[in-house]
Amino acid sequence: MKSLLCAAALTLACAAPALADKAAADQCAAGLGPDAKAVYAAAAPGFASAADPRALVTEKTKALVQSGALSMSNARPAAEAAGACLTQLR
């Protein structure tokens, strides 16, 4: 599971930087599937101010898996999809 979450976090690191735009990020998130929306909702409040946004997404995704809200098999794709929207918050 740790390697799965690390891979998701690395995907976020490779995303192109974008100007902070909460409205655009929220609009992007509206088109996500339910699992990715859950990751986005968990990570979005602290994403812009996080010293390590990858670690934040990893932590939030892991917490969703541990709580049973997200399956381990869907964790990586959900984090990657959410990451595409979350990067718009930075």
Side-chain angles (χ1 to χ4, degrees):
M1 181 169 94
K2 186 176 181 180
S3 62
L4 178 67
L5 296 175
C6 288
L10 288 174
T11 301
L12 291 175
C14 296
L19 298 175
D21 189 350
K22 182 171 176 8
D26 289 344
Q27 184 176 10
C28 174
L32 296 173
D35 290 339
K37 281 183 184 178
V39 173
Y40 178 87
F47 190 84
S49 62
D52 187 353
R54 292 180 298 156
L56 174 71
V57 173
T58 299
E59 173 189 326
K60 298 299 183 178
T61 304
K62 184 176 179 180
L64 289 168
V65 170
Q66 290 176 339
S67 73
L70 180 63
S71 72
M72 190 165 34
S73 63
N74 290 340
R76 179 180 180 185
E80 289 173 346
C85 297
L86 287 165
T87 57
Q88 296 179 36
L89 296 173
R90 290 208 46 108

